Amino acid sequence: MGKGSGCVPSMNRASVAVSDPHPTPDQPKSTAGEISRNLRIFIIYYSMYGHVDLLAKMMKKGVDSVDGVEGVLFKVPETLPMETLQQMRVPAKDDGVPVISVEEIVEADGFLFGFPTRYGSIAAQMKSFFDSTIDLWEHQRLAGIPAGFFVSTGTQGGGQETTALTAVSLLAHHGMVYVPIGYTFGSEMTNLESIRGGSPYGAGVISGDGSRPPSSTELDLAHYQGKYMATLLKRSLPLNAR
């Protein structure tokens, strides 16, 4: 998966820089195979009532727990007018998380995309952002990059799986590599004692009417997915780049 280990890297996209084992006199010598920067997983999301935002921040903690990998949080642009958002009683967004641009997205080594469902499929705000990446698609700038999903739905049957599944087509057209979590989270994936969001397709939260906060299990699953993706990304590097 991802760059290295036999997969085709994205076109016109630089690989992770590795220190030169034979530096010039004006270049400080470093350990052979030392990576000059952390691998970066962009956690790009849309959150209306804050549920996806909470999962994204927990996912970043999971990514950051893996040495040599860091999570970077981004929001996608809002498409609804302020009047509509006020009528829907949407709380103010976290100004500390920047809005992603198409130009920035090519700097990532991996992705985790988060979004609420709309009738069992991806929210329009995230779809609109993907629609704006047509130039990247044309040149296959994102091909070979691993990506995963996490979602929020109002009910258990509201699209925990279909929302992620229908979004796979976005990755397919870009040539990105979809990374589900399967049942690797362990026994909590089959626990029937409590209501829980999340599925083999990725972490998730059930928000109800918008007032139900994520459970500890849902947050733990988000943390786990971040760590899982970071671990796989790090393993995908060629041996001489570790």
Side-chain angles (χ1 to χ4, degrees):
M1 63 156 247
K3 303 181 297 301
S5 295
C7 285
V8 179
S10 56
M11 298 172 64
N12 305 317
R13 189 171 180 279
S15 301
V16 176
V18 178
S19 300
D20 187 349
H22 304 291
T24 57
D26 60 341
Q27 177 183 353
K29 184 176 180 180
S30 58
T31 304
E34 179 185 346
I35 302 173
S36 61
R37 67 164 175 82
N38 285 344
L39 294 166
R40 290 174 294 186
I41 294 177
F42 283 11
I43 304 168
I44 303 173
Y45 66 96
Y46 175 74
S47 185
M48 178 166 280
Y49 293 103
H51 296 78
V52 177
D53 178 76
L54 290 173
L55 292 187
K57 290 173 179 175
M58 185 59 69
M59 207 159 286
K60 172 176 165 54
K61 292 182 179 180
V63 172
D64 292 344
S65 70
V66 177
D67 185 49
V69 189
E70 63 177 316
V72 186
L73 294 171
F74 288 104
K75 298 178 294 189
V76 298
E78 179 61 81
T79 60
L80 292 175
M82 182 58 67
E83 294 178 357
T84 301
L85 295 173
Q86 291 174 344
Q87 291 173 357
M88 297 174 69
R89 299 179 181 178
V90 175
K93 301 294 191 296
D94 183 354
D95 292 333
V97 178
V99 175
I100 188 72
S101 68
V102 174
E103 293 74 22
E104 290 173 298
I105 197 173
V106 297
E107 299 173 6
D109 301 295
F111 295 108
L112 287 166
F113 296 104
F115 33 79
T117 186
R118 295 294 181 264
Y119 303 107
S121 61
I122 188 171
Q125 289 83 352
M126 182 64 72
K127 180 61 166 58
S128 177
F129 175 73
F130 267 95
D131 287 348
S132 71
T133 63
I134 187 169
D135 185 66
L136 302 183
W137 162 79
E138 183 178 3
H139 297 93
Q140 289 293 281
R141 295 286 304 280
L142 303 179
I145 303 178
F149 298 133
F150 56 104
V151 304
S152 172
T153 66
T155 64
Q156 286 180 288
Q160 286 285 315
E161 295 189 355
T162 61
T163 304
L165 182 60
T166 55
V168 170
S169 63
L170 303 173
L171 305 187
H173 282 266
H174 275 289
M176 287 188 275
V177 181
Y178 175 45
V179 181
I181 58 174
Y183 284 85
T184 59
F185 187 51
S187 61
E188 287 294 341
M189 295 294 289
T190 55
N191 184 3
L192 303 179
E193 298 300 319
S194 61
I195 295 176
R196 170 192 56 78
S199 73
Y201 294 92
V205 59
I206 297 173
S207 62
D209 61 359
S211 63
R212 177 186 181 271
S215 68
S216 59
T217 301
E218 290 168 335
L219 293 174
D220 286 346
L221 181 54
H223 183 280
Y224 172 80
Q225 185 175 1
K227 184 175 182 179
Y228 182 81
M229 175 65 87
T231 301
L232 289 182
L233 179 61
K234 190 173 180 180
R235 287 177 181 173
S236 73
L237 283 176
L239 289 175
N240 62 0
R242 292 182 182 175

